[in-house]
Amino acid sequence: MITHLSGKLVEKNPTYVIVECNGVGYFLNISLHTFSLLKDEENIRLFTHLQVKEDSHTLFGFVEKAEREIFRLLISVSGIGSSTARTMLSSLSPTQVRDAIANGDVPSIQAIKGIGAKTAQRVILDLKDKILKVYDMGEVSLQSNNTSKEEALSALEVLGFVRRQSEKVVDKVLAEDTTLSVEDIIKRALKNL
């Protein structure tokens, strides 16, 4: 129902923020990850998830769309409520949660307060296939400061290629010759895709 809010940041705490939009103040529950990414700017934009229960309507806020998607996947698992999902996203970054699920890393998920072995296994079992769809959402490769590589990957994504697949091919091309221009990287990558 409410997909995002843009407005004035009235109050900022590690667990919640209050955002004023056209005279209405919205109380949004946030994770520590979102708290750390929020700048102390007057105007902010947060992606939201509205949880409707019999006795309450609770709004959750996220700086990144990918974090919201992971939150939604987590709460779809039996035994994981919104507070546990928020704890997971406060203990680990969305990327770490995503990677732990994708790689079947039970100890990392079990290390989060309130999650036992069975729940950790259920999270992995239920979400392993679904989490891969979130893999490329707004993510930029952290292991590269190479702007040519990033530009080439962006161009290949626009052309319809999957980022992870393109990244392997571009890495291979750059391993052969690191002095290539963006255009040459793209041309060589296209031959191998």
Side-chain angles (χ1 to χ4, degrees), residues 79-81 83-92 107-116 119:
I80 300 283
S83 61
T84 305
R86 189 168 69 155
T87 301
M88 287 178 79
L89 290 166
S90 293
S91 303
L92 302 170
S108 290
I109 295 172
Q110 197 177 338
I112 298 163
K113 184 180 182 284
I115 296 185
T119 306

Side-chain angles (χ1 to χ4, degrees), residues 159-172:
L159 292 172
F161 294 98
V162 178
R163 186 176 181 94
R164 286 190 306 156
Q165 184 183 2
S166 303
E167 196 163 10
K168 289 176 187 171
V169 174
V170 169
D171 285 341
K172 203 162 144 186

Side-chain angles (χ1 to χ4, degrees), residues 128-145:
K128 196 165 190 167
D129 295 334
K130 296 176 187 174
I131 203 80
L132 296 175
K133 292 176 185 162
V134 183
Y135 232 92
D136 296 318
M137 277 192 86
E139 296 293 321
V140 176
S141 176
L142 296 174
Q143 59 262 31
S144 170
N145 292 328

